[in-house]
Amino acid sequence: MEDKDLSRREEGRNDFMSRTKNSALNAAVSVVTHAISLVTGFISRSVFVRTLSAEYLGINGLFFNILSMLSLAELGIGAAIAYSLYRPIALGDTRSVRILMAFYRRAYLWIGAVVFLLGAAMTPFLNHLFKSVPDIPHLRLYFFLFLLNSTVSYLYAYKRSLIIAHQKEYIATAYYQFFYVLRQVAQIVLLLTTGRFLFYLLAQLVCTLLENVLLSRRADRMYPYLKEPCGERLDAETFGTIRKNTAAMLFHKIGGVMVFGTDSILIAKLAGVVQVGLYSNYCMIIDALATIFGRLFWATTASVGNVGATERTERARSIFGAVDLAAFWVYGSVSLCLLVLVNPFITLWLGPKYLFPMGVVLPLALNFYLTGMRQSVHVFKNALGLFWQDRYKPLFEAAVNLAASIALFRVFGVAGVVLGTTVSTVTVCVWVEPYVLYRFGFGHSVREYFARYATYGALLLAAGTAVRFVDGLIVGQGLGILLLRALACVAVTNALFFAALFRRKEFRFLLEHGRMLFHKG
């Protein structure tokens, strides 16, 4: 009996290390490839603003946000089916996986068709989105190319999700980033040689199509059963679970789009398309950082799903505490760097005429931190299938965000639109999401989370005060000064974080399993 218990513990340890290695590989590939694409992205944007007018920059950001709103047609079915895949994958049940994937494929074909039709129906009304219509020819053609690019991405999404559910997100990430860099290079060449926005968009469409087709073929080679005919339908219980989770995820999709996808539309309508162009530069920087660091956490989703399917909730809660500390460390330090460095960086990159005042930068940095601190909760909620329990939360979040953004714009201008997101996050998301995770996922009081959250908030405020003081001692301009300010910000923030957190059990957990990973690697 003792030998069996020892064997089970060793097997569990090996399973955990396997999940840890998969998560680490997913995160490492994601960070490296995103860092490379970040460089090409900034070069491409530099060429864009020097080749085309600020109005083109504005409609580029606006059309991207409109297509984000059309993504509501996806209904959140992707997350619901991904959750349904974790258990059969963990059990090696390829029959169930094949049935789910056949259903997933049919669903996404319908979704792609709906997105295309909704976008086509919107096209005649594009002029009503602007405070004043920009003097740009072929607006509707440009929007149609954005729409085609979005539609193509739905055709093969189900195979990408299967690769990720197998804890091999690094493969999907490598394909995405390769074609992202290829697209950026092609767009740079086309802008410099032709100066045409049309060719810029065509390069985007071609690269999106190639990426999806080639990744689909890779999935077919990895999982040959995908090509086998599947005449079976989902059983009633699984279909009911997916339908219930999809209904819940629809609300989450609405909330996410209304909060993060409407800012450019509001700014275009209330302040003008040129302000959207300025805002899109800040969003490019923030979104690039959010993507890189977000991948560190989302790369663990499949592994967390495996934990939820095979282990006790106490273990999942311990892992969550460690992931939450990592989220604070990453997003806390990066948000402070954003606060002091983003305007000097934009000045060097594009020039002072593309700057927003600090009244806009502060809420942007704060929103980056608040959203980042939700990453760990989102990863665990999605991996544990907790979609239904807070299904109405996003509707309240969206309503508060829209009302606050419009009201605060009248007082603070563009800063008010950004502050609207801050208000909705603090009043709704910060307490509802962790409550649902602890109540229904862990079966434990959420008090420990809020105590930890308050501690992290106080530490961030102290670190921010110290960073602002040290940064104020550095005078001058130029790349060298910017690098010195960045080094000072990183050094001060991480020194204070380490001094305050190294005794915590969550830190010891991260340190211990990091050592195990490298020792076994």
Side-chain angles (χ1 to χ4, degrees):
M1 185 70 174
E2 187 174 333
D3 290 341
K4 287 184 180 179
D5 290 341
L6 183 61
S7 176
R8 281 197 204 96
R9 286 196 297 270
E10 184 61 27
E11 183 179 350
R13 177 187 175 92
N14 290 336
D15 286 344
F16 178 80
M17 289 310 301
S18 176
R19 290 191 296 264
T20 304
K21 286 182 179 180
N22 284 328
S23 297
L25 183 58
N26 289 337
V29 171
S30 181
V31 169
V32 171
T33 56
H34 274 84
I36 295 171
S37 65
L38 182 60
V39 174
T40 59
F42 278 115
I43 296 172
S44 176
R45 179 58 65 97
S46 301
V47 173
F48 190 107
V49 299
R50 286 166 173 77
T51 306
L52 301 170
S53 66
E55 284 81 5
Y56 279 96
L57 189 62
I59 67 164
N60 191 69
L62 177 62
F63 288 172
F64 179 82
N65 274 264
I66 293 172
L67 268 299
S68 295
M69 293 194 68
L70 290 181
S71 70
L72 281 173
E74 195 264 350
L75 303 176
I77 194 172
I81 294 181
Y83 169 70
S84 298
L85 284 170
Y86 294 141
R87 189 163 202 54
I89 286 174
L91 298 175
D93 183 1
T94 57
R95 173 184 168 274
S96 295
V97 172
R98 192 170 68 250
I99 295 172
L100 280 166
M101 294 304 293
F103 173 77
Y104 202 179
R105 176 179 176 275
R106 291 191 298 271
Y108 263 82
L109 287 176
W110 278 103
I111 289 166
V114 170
V115 168
F116 181 80
L117 292 174
L118 287 175
M122 284 188 61
T123 304
F125 308 101
L126 288 178
N127 289 350
H128 297 285
L129 296 174
F130 303 102
K131 182 180 181 181
S132 58
V133 180
D135 185 21
I136 295 176
H138 313 303
L139 268 179
R140 290 183 174 84
L141 173 61
Y142 297 151
F143 179 74
F144 184 73
L145 290 175
F146 267 95
L147 177 61
L148 279 181
N149 185 72
S150 179
T151 303
V152 164
S153 65
Y154 287 106
L155 300 181
Y156 303 97
Y158 68 105
K159 293 184 181 180
R160 181 188 304 274
S161 296
L162 181 62
I163 293 173
I164 294 172
H166 275 89
Q167 304 178 50
K168 298 184 184 296
E169 186 177 3
Y170 59 89
I171 294 175
T173 298
Y175 274 79
Y176 173 81
Q177 292 302 334
F178 173 80
F179 282 100
Y180 179 85
V181 171
L182 179 64
R183 184 190 95 195
Q184 296 289 345
V185 172
Q187 288 175 326
I188 290 169
V189 172
L190 289 169
L191 283 175
L192 290 174
T193 55
T194 70
R196 298 281 301 278
F197 190 49
L198 173 64
F199 295 131
Y200 178 91
L201 296 181
L202 286 173
Q204 176 176 276
L205 176 60
V206 170
C207 288
T208 298
L209 182 61
L210 285 173
E211 178 214 340
N212 281 277
V213 169
L214 294 178
L215 183 60
S216 172
R217 292 180 178 177
R218 176 66 181 271
D220 288 340
R221 293 195 300 271
M222 293 171 65
Y223 313 110
Y225 56 80
L226 287 176
K227 294 186 288 185
E228 297 175 10
C230 181
E232 297 181 80
R233 297 283 178 170
L234 286 176
D235 61 88
E237 181 180 357
T238 302
F239 180 75
T241 300
I242 292 175
R243 184 174 59 184
K244 178 180 177 180
N245 286 337
T246 298
M249 284 302 297
L250 173 60
F251 294 116
H252 290 278
K253 290 283 290 185
I254 291 173
V257 167
M258 291 298 294
V259 172
F260 298 105
T262 58
D263 281 0
S264 289
I265 298 173
L266 286 173
I267 293 171
K269 188 66 178 176
L270 299 173
V273 72
V274 173
Q275 293 293 302
V276 177
L278 268 62
Y279 180 72
S280 72
N281 291 327
Y282 285 82
C283 286
M284 179 185 177
I285 296 170
I286 291 171
D287 290 347
L289 293 171
T291 299
I292 289 175
F293 295 112
R295 292 285 179 177
L296 289 171
F297 298 94
W298 285 105
T300 67
T301 302
S303 298
V304 173
N306 186 274
V307 170
T310 59
E311 296 190 19
R312 299 186 308 273
T313 55
E314 292 86 349
R315 180 64 168 170
R317 188 162 59 89
S318 297
I319 298 172
F320 171 76
V323 174
D324 197 44
L325 182 142
F328 166 73
W329 201 303
V330 168
Y331 287 97
S333 58
V334 175
S335 64
L336 294 180
C337 289
L338 268 174
L339 184 63
V340 300
L341 299 174
V342 68
N343 269 0
F345 175 79
I346 290 179
T347 301
L348 282 176
W349 175 34
L350 301 174
K353 69 177 182 178
Y354 287 94
L355 291 181
F356 273 137
M358 286 301 294
V360 178
V361 174
L362 178 59
L364 281 172
L366 179 58
N367 287 346
F368 178 84
Y369 170 74
L370 292 172
T371 303
M373 284 299 291
R374 296 166 62 190
Q375 288 280 17
S376 53
V377 176
H378 284 173
V379 166
F380 276 73
K381 279 178 73 264
N382 283 1
L384 297 176
L386 301 176
F387 310 116
W388 184 256
Q389 288 79 1
D390 62 346
R391 59 193 179 279
Y392 298 123
K393 183 271 302 181
L395 301 183
F396 289 102
E397 179 188 6
V400 171
N401 176 74
L402 188 61
S405 294
I406 294 173
L408 292 173
F409 175 83
R410 296 170 180 165
V411 180
F412 301 107
V414 173
V417 176
V418 183
L419 282 168
T421 302
T422 310
V423 171
S424 64
T425 301
V426 171
T427 58
V428 180
C429 306
V430 163
W431 65 274
V432 172
E433 292 169 350
Y435 172 79
V436 168
L437 174 63
Y438 272 77
R439 172 73 171 80
F440 299 101
F442 299 151
H444 194 274
S445 171
V446 74
R447 283 196 296 268
E448 69 173 23
Y449 174 85
F450 289 127
R452 192 167 60 227
Y453 196 94
T455 300
Y456 292 161
L459 178 56
L460 182 71
L461 185 61
T465 303
V467 165
R468 292 287 288 176
F469 174 77
V470 173
D471 184 68
L473 301 176
I474 303 173
V475 295
Q477 296 180 344
L479 179 60
I481 294 297
L482 179 64
L483 293 175
L484 180 60
R485 294 175 72 177
L487 180 63
C489 180
V490 170
V492 170
T493 302
N494 284 277
L496 289 174
F497 284 3
F498 178 80
L501 300 173
F502 80 98
R503 291 188 179 89
R504 294 184 70 95
K505 62 181 180 180
E506 297 89 358
F507 183 86
R508 293 196 301 271
F509 183 97
L510 288 174
L511 195 61
E512 174 190 351
H513 289 91
R515 286 172 177 168
M516 287 166 57
L517 176 64
F518 285 107
H519 178 70
K520 292 243 184 179

